[in-house]
Amino acid sequence: MSATLSVIPGPAKDMNASLALGRKRKRANRIVKTLCLTATGLGLIFLASILATLLSKGIAGLSLTVFTTSTLPPGSHGGLLNAIVGTLIQTVLGAAIGTPIGLMVGTYLAEYARDSALGNAVRFVSDILLSAPSILIGLFVYQIVVSPLGGFSGFAGCLALALIVIPIVVRTTEDMLRLIPSQLREAVIGLGAPKWKMIVLICYRAAREGIVTGILLAVARISGETAPLLFTSLGNLNWSLSLTKPMASLPVTIYQYAGSAFQDWVDLAWAGALLITAAVLAVNIVARTLLRGRK
Amino acid sequence: MSTTTETGAPPLTGRRGSNLGDTIFAALAKLSGIFVLAVLGAIIAALALGGSKAFIAFGPKFLSSNDWDPVQETFGALVPIFGTIVTAILALAMAVPLAFGIAFYLTELAPAWMRRPVSTAIELLAAVPSIIYGMWGFFVIVPIMSQYVQPFVIDTIGELPLIGPFFQGPPFGTGILTAALVLAVMVIPFIAATMRDVFDTVPAVYKESAYGLGCTTWEVMRSIVIPYTRASVVGGIMLGLGRALGETMAVTFVIGNTNRIATSLFGPGNTIASIVALEFPEAETGSLKLSSLLALGLILFAIAFIVLAISRTLLKPGMKA
């Protein structure tokens, strides 16, 4: 390496000084490269450590009763059935409420208000809500739904999750609609179609994979949310499908069980943690593959 | 191109049915947009209204008092505010260099075949639910901290003058530093992914020119990529800060939950999010305590809003989170 350097006529008069400079620059480069590799390695180790912990502790607690029995007092071989079903109900309903609104907001931003003041304000606020602490969404829904109606309910949990879904769907919908070439829109309008038909029949169809990806990512996100459910659906140790009563959910049950003093509850918490993480990561991978297939 | 979509077709079609459909659809879209603004307004109003009782009862002292005594019914926000800011900043101090390294590796150093799998792995790390981070912190990091890291640090750095007191106290494993560590692991993927996207926006010509002049990879990074992306990089870091400030579950497990301002980094504390999550179930409807917790929520919202607003202004629009 010094041989190649020495044949380059550098600006420095002193050969030794320029060689030393070259060595110094290369050393700095090597150090930074090593540090970056270490950082990436650490990041991967964190992921591996989390997954390994989940697998080793989660599989121990996993058995058929986890899926067939509801939560029971410690020592009586309970499962997580009510929590799993509760999470499914709240996630599906939350996504079902939030998706249409998010889709319309995204459409508004991409098709109607690209540069208008109102559009910019909506985009800004939606992006803020996207990263806003989710516990505050829980407090908000507590204040406007739980407190006036006089009780925790599964429906309040769905609403809290829906509010988290909206900004996620807004972001992906707008981004995907913006990718559609304007010639496509002009061609449709030129054929005499009204704008709403252009959006619903052509733009949505062209952006379908992207929009579905956004919805899937939103579903993955809310299925693991704990904080907003603490003050809304609260959790329920009994079997209940009623949306007007407190409803169990996997994350909240994990939260309650993980901190308990009973080993079988802690084991169940790990089993639940493994289930929820596996589901969330699987949905994420599907969503990303879907988006990649499009490109 | 926007003019074409803005004015649309109505003047040409003239059919009442399609005009009506357009009117309805446009109104629905605009209404949804306004709904988002209304949600923000409603969140602020609901938290302010709920917290008004505490603000009236304690006045400005609510912000400066470190007293949190449910028995005496006196509440002050200083301890959780302090804990929130200290844990978030410590977390960033640990996360930013690592995230920068990962983003740098992914954009400039990694061989092409490694970029996608490593990128995906980092993105999956971001997708892991926060409660899992909490459990991982509680069952994996806390024992490591209490058995190895903290005793060692207390015996070495803890003996030093000036900085020593920050590293003293009993090695419980939980506490402010552990919470910051778990938070750091949580926000690394967010910051790294944003930085990677930001670094990718640098035109290849700039980088190639610098390489052509004989710059090393690090020199290209330092003199070309970072100056070009400075504002967005700060925006990405602020986005991570916003996450760290409001994180609940990961912190609640490991912070130690004590309403005192710890003088040591190993000492227990509380953040706004953790105190709300822990004390909310014990707060009765209409009580001063509940109102104080909602007031804390409003303070958290204000802090997070400012941080995220700065982040959004610095990040170029369309940069995904």
Side-chain angles (χ1 to χ4, degrees):
Chain A
M1 110 181 85
S2 55
T4 48
L5 261 184
S6 59
V7 295
I8 299 172
K13 296 261 167 30
D14 183 356
M15 192 64 134
N16 282 331
S18 70
L19 276 177
L21 182 65
R23 274 197 296 275
K24 202 177 139 207
R25 289 171 57 206
K26 291 208 163 185
R27 199 185 314 127
N29 197 39
R30 263 201 307 277
I31 292 171
V32 172
K33 276 186 174 178
T34 319
L35 286 178
C36 288
L37 202 61
T38 319
T40 312
L42 269 176
L44 294 179
I45 288 173
F46 287 139
L47 180 65
S49 164
I50 290 171
L51 294 182
T53 315
L54 276 173
L55 281 176
S56 67
K57 300 207 180 196
I59 285 179
L62 215 53
S63 66
L64 207 58
T65 50
V66 170
F67 301 97
T68 56
T69 323
S70 289
T71 45
L72 290 174
S76 44
H77 300 289
L80 294 168
L81 182 63
N82 53 344
I84 295 171
V85 172
T87 284
L88 285 177
I89 293 174
Q90 290 175 72
T91 304
V92 168
L93 277 181
I97 299 169
T99 302
I101 300 174
L103 198 61
M104 284 312 279
V105 179
T107 310
Y108 176 67
L109 292 180
E111 305 288 336
Y112 289 94
R114 282 209 180 179
D115 295 309
S116 77
L118 181 64
N120 288 337
V122 171
R123 185 177 299 114
F124 186 75
V125 167
S126 174
D127 281 344
I128 296 248
L129 291 178
L130 182 66
S131 316
S134 61
I135 190 168
L136 295 179
I137 305 288
L139 280 181
F140 169 60
V141 174
Y142 175 86
Q143 275 295 87
I144 61 158
V145 178
V146 177
S147 191
L149 294 183
F152 299 99
S153 64
F155 180 66
C158 297
L159 278 187
L161 295 182
L163 285 177
I164 295 171
V165 166
I166 293 172
I168 305 177
V169 174
V170 171
R171 181 79 278 130
T172 43
T173 305
E174 192 199 353
D175 288 349
M176 291 303 142
L177 286 178
R178 272 172 180 262
L179 288 178
I180 297 172
S182 54
Q183 287 92 330
L184 188 64
R185 294 198 178 85
E186 284 158 15
V188 180
I189 296 291
L191 286 173
K195 189 169 178 178
W196 72 272
K197 276 196 176 170
M198 169 199 91
I199 295 171
V200 175
L201 297 179
I202 307 299
C203 293
Y204 283 170
R205 198 168 290 183
R208 192 171 48 203
E209 283 93 344
I211 294 173
V212 170
T213 303
I215 298 168
L216 284 178
L217 289 179
V219 165
R221 164 90 191 273
I222 59 171
S223 59
E225 279 290 349
T226 318
L229 296 180
L230 285 175
F231 321 133
T232 50
S233 63
L234 188 69
N236 190 339
L237 292 177
N238 301 312
W239 173 257
S240 165
L241 289 180
S242 167
L243 282 176
T244 55
K245 294 205 179 74
M247 188 178 262
S249 64
L250 259 181
V252 172
T253 311
I254 294 169
Y255 174 57
Q256 289 162 342
Y257 276 21
S260 81
F262 310 107
Q263 189 55 43
D264 59 334
W265 273 19
V266 175
D267 287 344
L268 266 182
W270 279 110
L274 177 64
L275 287 179
I276 200 88
T277 312
V280 166
L281 294 188
V283 172
N284 256 280
I285 290 169
V286 168
R288 279 169 213 287
T289 329
L290 205 63
L291 196 62
R292 205 160 285 152
R294 202 182 101 99
K295 279 181 193 162
Chain B
M1 94 189 154
S2 60
T3 49
T4 330
T5 46
E6 292 286 336
T7 51
L12 290 172
T13 59
R15 278 176 295 164
R16 261 193 93 234
S18 54
N19 272 340
L20 186 67
D22 263 355
T23 316
I24 293 173
F25 196 80
L28 271 179
K30 191 167 185 177
L31 210 65
S32 313
I34 292 168
F35 174 76
V36 171
L37 297 180
V39 167
L40 178 80
I43 291 176
I44 296 171
L47 292 177
L49 215 63
S52 59
K53 209 170 149 187
F55 283 126
I56 290 167
F58 303 116
K61 240 186 71 202
F62 184 69
L63 289 175
S64 61
S65 160
N66 61 2
D67 210 13
W68 186 275
D69 191 345
V71 185
Q72 303 279 336
E73 290 258 297
T74 52
F75 301 101
L78 190 63
V79 175
I81 292 176
F82 172 83
T84 303
I85 292 172
V86 168
T87 49
I89 290 189
L90 278 177
L92 275 199
M94 292 184 256
V96 168
L98 282 175
F100 176 81
I102 293 171
F104 185 24
Y105 180 78
L106 285 176
T107 48
E108 295 295 322
L109 300 174
W113 59 270
M114 264 192 77
R115 279 177 202 197
R116 177 154 294 170
V118 175
S119 257
T120 310
I122 299 297
E123 279 164 15
L124 288 184
L125 196 56
V128 171
S130 61
I131 188 161
I132 308 298
Y133 280 97
M135 288 181 79
W136 177 71
F138 188 67
F139 288 97
V140 177
I141 298 296
V142 168
I144 294 177
M145 289 296 276
S146 68
Q147 282 165 27
Y148 305 103
V149 180
Q150 290 185 352
F152 175 75
V153 173
I154 290 167
D155 288 343
T156 51
I157 305 177
E159 302 289 317
L160 296 175
L162 290 175
I163 60 163
F166 291 117
F167 298 96
Q168 285 170 358
F172 288 129
T174 54
I176 290 172
L177 188 69
T178 312
L181 188 67
V182 175
L183 275 181
V185 176
M186 254 197 93
V187 297
I188 282 172
F190 287 108
I191 304 179
T194 317
M195 279 192 187
R196 180 201 58 194
D197 294 347
V198 165
F199 289 166
D200 274 338
T201 62
V202 179
V205 177
Y206 291 6
K207 289 193 276 187
E208 283 160 12
S209 314
Y211 280 123
L213 288 172
C215 286
T216 61
T217 322
W218 167 234
E219 283 162 352
V220 170
M221 200 66 196
R222 205 182 52 188
S223 319
I224 309 293
V225 176
I226 295 179
Y228 188 86
T229 57
R230 189 172 290 136
S232 304
V233 165
V234 176
I237 295 172
M238 297 297 265
L239 193 66
L241 181 61
R243 291 258 167 197
L245 285 169
E247 179 43 45
T248 313
M249 304 324 292
V251 172
T252 307
F253 271 96
V254 295
I255 185 101
N257 306 307
T258 308
N259 293 311
R260 248 183 307 117
I261 291 189
T263 50
S264 163
L265 290 177
F266 297 152
N270 242 336
T271 69
I272 295 179
S274 74
I275 200 171
V276 170
L278 282 161
E279 307 234 343
F280 197 87
E282 297 156 19
E284 284 163 40
T285 318
S287 67
L288 197 55
K289 185 175 181 182
L290 184 70
S291 178
S292 302
L293 291 173
L294 289 165
L296 275 178
L298 185 67
I299 294 168
L300 175 61
F301 191 80
I303 300 174
F305 188 92
I306 293 167
V307 168
L308 293 172
I310 297 173
S311 152
R312 286 297 156 190
T313 320
L314 291 175
L315 282 172
K316 291 193 187 88
M319 195 71 73
K320 68 167 185 170

